[in-house]
Amino acid sequence: MKKVVISLVAILAATSFANAADAGCAAFKWPVTREQALFAAAPGAQPGVSLAVGEAADVTLVPVDTISFTVPPQRAPANGTFGATANVAVPPEGELQISLSGEAWIDVVQDDRAVKSAGYSAAKTCAGIRKSIRFKLSAGPATIQLSGVKDRSIKVAVLAPE
């Protein structure tokens, strides 16, 4: 009887894992189809790039220990990782959705302080998009701080939430 129970548990666990993998981009809390389209044609950009709402860029990253962040990242980046900053003009509505193609810590800074996120969604099963974070901000300039990235580039999309 024990073998049957163990086998049944193994089958159920494997089925659950397979279903999660099949979920793909539908695993996000909100649609990421706009990001998919933007990431497919994202132009290369250097750290410090200015992004407009509705744009994406494939940002070249530098070692985190060479970056002068406006405020220290809320999660200390591991040694040997990469990061960058980008600028964005927040529209009067004040809401931004920032999506990333890979693993990274993201802080959005406005008025010299990090702004807490208003929503978060991530999926390891969505090819090309890893996470999407929403922020409620004031209209005006803001800085996106990326850190803890293991790769030398990451795609970033800045959108108004749907």
Side-chain angles (χ1 to χ4, degrees):
M1 182 69 171
K2 281 186 179 181
K3 286 183 181 180
V4 172
V5 171
I6 290 171
S7 295
L8 183 58
V9 169
I11 291 169
L12 290 173
T15 302
S16 294
F17 180 75
N19 286 341
D22 290 342
C25 298
F28 277 94
K29 293 178 186 174
W30 47 77
V32 292
T33 53
R34 296 179 301 162
E35 289 88 336
Q36 289 172 310
L38 288 169
F39 283 172
Q46 295 302 310
V49 64
S50 290
L51 294 171
V53 176
E55 289 184 344
D58 189 353
V59 181
T60 299
L61 306 174
V62 297
V64 289
D65 58 357
T66 66
I67 302 170
S68 296
F69 290 114
T70 304
V71 299
Q74 291 184 347
R75 179 185 291 171
N79 290 333
T81 59
F82 302 91
T85 61
N87 302 304
V88 62
V90 179
E93 301 81 35
E95 292 187 75
L96 292 182
Q97 179 174 306
I98 301 170
S99 300
L100 304 175
S101 63
E103 289 283 338
W105 183 257
I106 182 169
D107 290 297
V108 174
V109 178
Q110 195 170 47
D111 299 325
D112 294 324
R113 62 179 181 78
V115 177
K116 185 176 177 174
S117 66
Y120 173 84
S121 189
K124 291 184 179 181
T125 58
C126 182
I129 302 174
R130 176 64 183 93
K131 66 171 60 175
S132 186
I133 304 136
R134 292 179 172 175
F135 296 89
K136 291 187 179 184
L137 304 156
S138 301
T143 301
I144 300 167
Q145 296 183 163
L146 304 170
S147 60
V149 186
K150 292 180 182 174
D151 298 318
R152 291 209 174 249
S153 69
I154 193 167
K155 293 179 182 177
V156 181
V158 179
L159 300 165
E162 289 184 304

